[in-house]
């Protein structure tokens, strides 16, 4: 039995590996790079698409596949970028392009700070069934990028109860409060039970 993470996002892979005490293989190390069309209308739906696609491509029932679909939602923007966070600035956009599009969008509304939240949906697919769990992190986004830590929208996200962005805060803090960490805490016992069944 092996655990495979269905993501090509280096930031997510690093965070998963640092937060888990189990060995996690990147799907690309087995299957090479591949594009997965995420066309569901929810984080949960897209997480399931990713995990199911990789599970099927692996063509072996000896794997537990985990995926993470995540993003940032801004109530001022009607919940955008939400499930479109990875392609907010267009197909093939980089993390930096998306970050600057979000800064430009809130700035164009004359806003320097507004509430936002991250969502992480983690899907687990194996021969013993499919599971999905969620985690959230609430805070504000600001119109100036600050700090180099984390990835994606982290340089503008200030978690509730803090004054610094996730780009500035110690990475250990993000690991203790993040949407991904919270979802992973729910995923871990499921993975443990599945592991024992193999
Ligand atoms: P996905 O890989 O399709 O789930 O896209 C996730 C998008 O949300 C990417 O643009 C990420 O940069 C962004 N995102 C998700 N989680 C985080 C995070 O923890 N910090 C910063 N950006 C994140």
């Amino acid at each position: 039995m092996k655990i495979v993470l269905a993501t090509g996002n280096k930031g997510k892979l690093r965070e998963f590996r640092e937060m888990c005490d189990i060995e996690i293989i990147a799907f690309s190390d087995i299957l090479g790079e591949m594009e997965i069309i995420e066309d569901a209308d929810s984080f949960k739906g897209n997480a399931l698409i990713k995990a199911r696609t990789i599970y099927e491509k692996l063509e072996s029932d000896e794997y537990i596949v985990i995926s993470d679909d995540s993003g940032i939602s801004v109530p001022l923007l009607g919940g955008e970028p939400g499930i479109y966070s990875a392609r907010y600035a267009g197909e093939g956009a980089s993390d930096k392009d998306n970050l600057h599009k979000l800064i430009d969008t809130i700035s164009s509304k004359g806003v320097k700070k507004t509430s936002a939240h991250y969502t992480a949906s983690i899907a687990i697919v194996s021969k013993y069934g499919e599971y999905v769990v969620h985690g959230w992190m609430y805070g504000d986004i600001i119109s100036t990028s600050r700090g180099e830590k984390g990835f994606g929208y982290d340089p503008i996200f200030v978690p509730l109860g803090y004054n610094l962005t996730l780009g500035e805060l110690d990475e250990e803090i993000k690991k203790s409060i993040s949407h991904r960490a919270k979802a992973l805490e729910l995923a871990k016992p499921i993975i443990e039970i599945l592991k024992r069944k193999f």
Side-chain angles (χ1 to χ4, degrees):
M1 188 280 311
K2 290 194 171 111
I3 297 175
V4 171
L5 189 65
T7 185
N9 182 311
K10 299 253 179 323
K12 284 185 190 177
L13 185 62
R14 179 171 43 80
E15 287 190 3
F16 264 96
R17 284 192 165 139
E18 286 171 4
M19 288 189 291
C20 284
D21 38 18
I22 38 180
E23 196 199 343
I24 291 184
I25 307 167
F27 82 85
S28 52
D29 290 348
I30 307 174
L31 297 170
E33 296 300 335
M34 90 172 61
E35 206 200 331
I36 300 172
I37 310 289
E38 298 167 30
D39 55 4
D41 61 2
S42 63
F43 291 110
K44 174 183 172 178
N46 283 332
L48 276 168
I49 287 175
K50 285 190 249 197
R52 284 176 185 155
T53 305
I54 298 300
Y55 184 77
E56 278 158 25
K57 294 261 181 214
L58 286 167
E59 291 179 349
S60 160
D61 62 8
E62 281 308 300
Y63 291 102
I64 296 175
V65 178
I66 309 171
S67 69
D68 162 309
D69 196 70
S70 45
I72 192 163
S73 304
V74 182
L76 176 77
L77 306 176
E80 282 188 11
I83 59 167
Y84 303 106
S85 294
R87 48 200 148 118
Y88 190 43
E91 283 307 327
S94 68
D95 271 11
K96 283 251 160 353
D97 298 333
N98 293 327
L99 173 73
H100 287 111
K101 164 115 195 246
L102 189 52
I103 291 174
D104 290 348
T105 308
I106 62 165
S107 300
S108 72
K109 296 193 175 291
V111 165
K112 287 206 167 78
K113 183 178 175 180
T114 187
S115 66
H117 62 273
Y118 277 118
T119 303
S121 184
I122 294 181
I124 303 159
V125 172
S126 77
K127 64 180 168 187
Y128 297 113
E130 296 180 340
Y131 304 83
V132 184
V133 292
H134 289 86
W136 291 271
M137 172 167 49
Y138 285 81
D140 289 313
I141 52 164
I142 55 172
S143 59
T144 326
S145 178
R146 293 191 338 222
E148 300 294 326
K149 297 191 180 109
F151 65 96
Y153 298 96
D154 287 344
I156 59 167
F157 188 87
V158 180
L160 205 63
Y162 293 85
N163 292 316
L164 299 177
T165 69
L166 287 176
E168 298 169 311
L169 281 168
D170 194 293
E171 297 200 346
E172 289 304 311
I173 294 179
K174 181 176 180 192
K175 277 184 229 159
S176 68
I177 60 171
S178 82
H179 48 311
R180 191 160 297 105
K182 287 177 189 148
L184 203 52
E185 279 317 302
L186 298 174
K188 277 180 184 171
I190 300 171
I191 297 166
E192 276 311 310
I193 289 167
L194 291 175
K195 270 168 70 182
R196 277 189 239 131
K197 288 183 178 238
F198 276 84

